[in-house]
Amino acid sequence: MARNPGMFAPLNNDRRSLQRQPVQPGWTVVSPVPRTSTEPPEAHPRLGKPSQIWTYRNAREEVLGHVWRIDQRDGEKDYLPLTWCRHDRTGKQEWRFKSWVVPRPLYQLNLLAKQPDARVVVCEGEKAADSIALLLEICVGVTSPGGSKAAAKADWSALKGRHVFIWPDRDDAGAQFAQDAAAALHRTGAASIQIVTPPIGDSDGWDAADAKSEGWSINQAEELLQAALPYNAPCDLDLDRGKAPPQRDRMLKLFDDVDVWHDEFGDVYATLKVDQHHENWPLRSSQARRWIRYEFNRRFGDTLGGQALEDAIGLLEARGAVVGPCYETRRRVGAHGDAIYVDLCDDTWRAVRVRPNGWDVVQSAPVKFLRSGAMRRLPIPVAGESIDTLRGFLNVSTDDDFCLAVSWLIAALRPDGPYPLAIISGEQGSGKSNFSKVLRALVDPNAAPVRTPPRDERDLIVCAVHSHVQAFDNLSSVPAWLADGLCRLATGGGFSARAMYTNADEQVITATRPSILNGIPNLAERPDLADRAVSLSLDAIRETDRRAETEFWREFAEQRPLILGALMDGLSAGLRRQGKIKLSKLPRMADFALWVEQCAPGLGWEDGAFLRAYGTNRADISAGAFEADPLAGIVKKVMDERPHGWEGTATQLLQLVNDAVPESQRKSRFWPSSASAMGSRLRRVAPLLRRVGLETETSHSGTRIIRFVWATSRYAFTDPNKQNPGDRQMKIDVAP
């Protein structure tokens, strides 16, 4: 800046030195340009002729001035505003290379007025703004005069209430222009403000004009616009202190528009906007923390400290738990209204919506789905194929076995249980593991599709919390604690554990999950497990029928969308026939049986076909469980000798069965050793005895009395034609 010597001259007593010097007259911009003005000059007196001219007009199409671009010999470009001006003293008017007074008008105000509902794209420069009309539909491109550093000097009031996108140049100056323009638009009251991120890899300074010259299509430009990030206004400065508020307070402002909520157990979550979709994450999860750190840096240009993060999360957790809404969380499958939603687990959090009149894929589901890092995506279902497409990937030998495998899938895609256990057995080389993997891949794909059995109940709980389907591979037996846990998962039950880091708080987890078990032996030996199972026995695969693993899974991947489409058709039919199916007698796992029967037409099955297959399977399972339980067999043998029944105490019954077995069996750890143990075991085998016609009754009249009564008709399980009469004679009524 040139120095004025008079400013630094020593003071003296001459009063004339203190008098203000007269202001030199100048030129004032006249806007709009009057109709009586002369034609603009053809060239700049020193720089020469322009290579391009942009005319600024107001909403009434009146000229406000021009901006010239003059290309220099050294490759540089000069942008000069040309306005109509009036001399302050003489009143003379002429064209002068002088900018408008602040606030300056926007380029293309006339087009804004003509298209009041169009989206607005703010660019950095008039050439880029002109390109918008050629790149995008129903959009108006505008810019502010004066370059990237003059955004704050423009009059943005014309964009009040408009939906605005800012498309900056790809350089540091462009990024700053975007922030300055967004801040001005926020103060003006724009309806929405989103900032476009120029593609990575393009040259510095790349803008909308470059996209046009590169031949971008409308779809390409639209995709770039749709990926724009919303602008969040920064926190106001603490004017008293002259500095920004603490990081904790600024971070809390990030959550002004974020849904912070809790589930029925009091755990707190946040629904976070990522790009153009929303994701649900526990507030203390690593995913939520990464989102917070990224958004904090994007909005405030600062790195969030660890303590500020913890303090803010603690406050948000309290807010979500006390005043936040309560939602039910779901893994993979949920329901809302009359629809079932299946989480595809893709990057944009889409879901399949199944309704009575069909199914489709939706961009966002009204269900609060949760995900774990091990969950994998389902392909988008494709309609048009039969469920029989699946048969080529399952080693089943009968139509009934295929029907039961599909019934497990249909049940597993239901939002609520009870769910049957799929118990798959067979000799080595029968494809048990692949069978299990195929079933899971159609419902709940996972990074570890089948796993080793859990070591204890806590491991089982962890599996159930983090995935919808539980699949355990190559079991040699099912211990009592695992059988009990799987039974609770199948029909719904609670698991209790000490809350982490506490000695007094109890953490209760309730879950209902579909499960798959496979192994060489019969795993459905325990009566309570057998009662909840669909058991499939696989034949060994002949060498001539074997396929290479890579070929098998490649073909399955090609057909999986079609198989999923067929399953969705079945679900839709189930919803359509809800409440219209009546069974004359409900079997065990009645909700499962009724649901599959409702879905039958959508799968191409006749009414009753599934129930017949299920009845036969239940008979076979019970027969196997009966043969595997030594106590059930001995009780039946003893009672066979007493056709009129028997009654007595648990002690007397224990003595009776002990007399019927050798000493080695009495000393087995699986044999009841006391009257109380006998009572407990008898309750477990009662369903098996009932299936062979032997009813067990217990009464209390001072002494506990056990009574065995033979039913009027007996039947055996060794002959499949001698099933439970109730299974064979079950009737189905379908309401119109």
Side-chain angles (χ1 to χ4, degrees), residues 431-452:
K432 300 180 296 296
S433 295
N434 272 4
F435 198 112
S436 304
K437 291 176 183 178
V438 167
L439 292 184
R440 182 161 195 181
L442 291 169
V443 177
D444 186 28
N446 195 277
V450 292
R451 305 185 181 199
T452 56

Side-chain angles (χ1 to χ4, degrees), residues 209-227:
D210 293 312
K212 173 181 170 292
S213 64
E214 291 170 9
W216 270 40
S217 66
I218 291 176
N219 288 340
Q220 283 178 290
E222 191 64 46
E223 287 176 4
L224 186 67
L225 221 61
Q226 293 305 314

Side-chain angles (χ1 to χ4, degrees), residues 133-178:
L134 303 173
L135 288 171
L136 293 159
E137 297 177 335
I138 317 178
C139 278
V140 176
V142 303
T143 192
S144 57
S148 60
K149 297 182 179 180
K153 297 179 180 180
D155 180 2
W156 299 94
S157 60
L159 302 187
K160 181 178 181 180
R162 302 290 289 255
H163 295 282
V164 183
F165 294 83
I166 302 174
W167 187 334
D169 291 4
R170 188 183 179 277
D171 51 27
D172 292 341
Q176 187 59 53
F177 168 81

Side-chain angles (χ1 to χ4, degrees), residues 257-288:
D257 299 320
V258 173
D259 188 12
V260 181
W261 49 278
H262 64 275
D263 64 11
E264 57 190 309
F265 304 110
D267 295 325
V268 179
Y269 302 83
T271 299
L272 307 172
K273 186 173 183 181
V274 180
D275 294 333
Q276 299 300 311
H277 67 274
H278 289 84
E279 303 181 4
N280 305 310
W281 295 107
L283 189 58
R284 290 193 174 274
S285 66
S286 59
Q287 292 87 352

Side-chain angles (χ1 to χ4, degrees), residues 19-25:
Q19 293 177 355
R20 179 174 297 178
Q21 299 297 316
V23 177
Q24 295 297 319

Side-chain angles (χ1 to χ4, degrees), residues 185-310:
L185 287 164
H186 176 73
R187 291 191 295 270
T188 296
S192 66
I193 309 167
Q194 293 174 268
I195 300 177
V196 171
T197 302
I200 296 174
D202 290 307
S203 59
D204 284 349
W206 186 94
D207 62 6
D210 293 312
K212 173 181 170 292
S213 64
E214 291 170 9
W216 270 40
S217 66
I218 291 176
N219 288 340
Q220 283 178 290
E222 191 64 46
E223 287 176 4
L224 186 67
L225 221 61
Q226 293 305 314
L229 298 175
Y231 170 74
N232 292 306
C235 299
D236 295 331
L237 292 177
D238 184 339
L239 298 178
D240 293 335
R241 299 181 181 179
K243 61 180 182 179
Q247 284 192 339
R248 179 201 64 195
D249 296 345
R250 284 187 284 162
M251 196 204 100
L252 288 173
K253 287 192 72 67
L254 290 176
F255 282 81
D256 285 348
D257 299 320
V258 173
D259 188 12
V260 181
W261 49 278
H262 64 275
D263 64 11
E264 57 190 309
F265 304 110
D267 295 325
V268 179
Y269 302 83
T271 299
L272 307 172
K273 186 173 183 181
V274 180
D275 294 333
Q276 299 300 311
H277 67 274
H278 289 84
E279 303 181 4
N280 305 310
W281 295 107
L283 189 58
R284 290 193 174 274
S285 66
S286 59
Q287 292 87 352
R289 291 170 183 268
R290 284 197 295 267
W291 182 90
I292 292 169
R293 290 184 182 279
Y294 170 78
E295 286 295 320
F296 187 88
N297 178 263
R298 185 184 71 83
R299 179 166 170 180
F300 303 115
D302 196 2
T303 300
L304 183 62
Q307 190 57 52
L309 176 63
E310 293 303 320

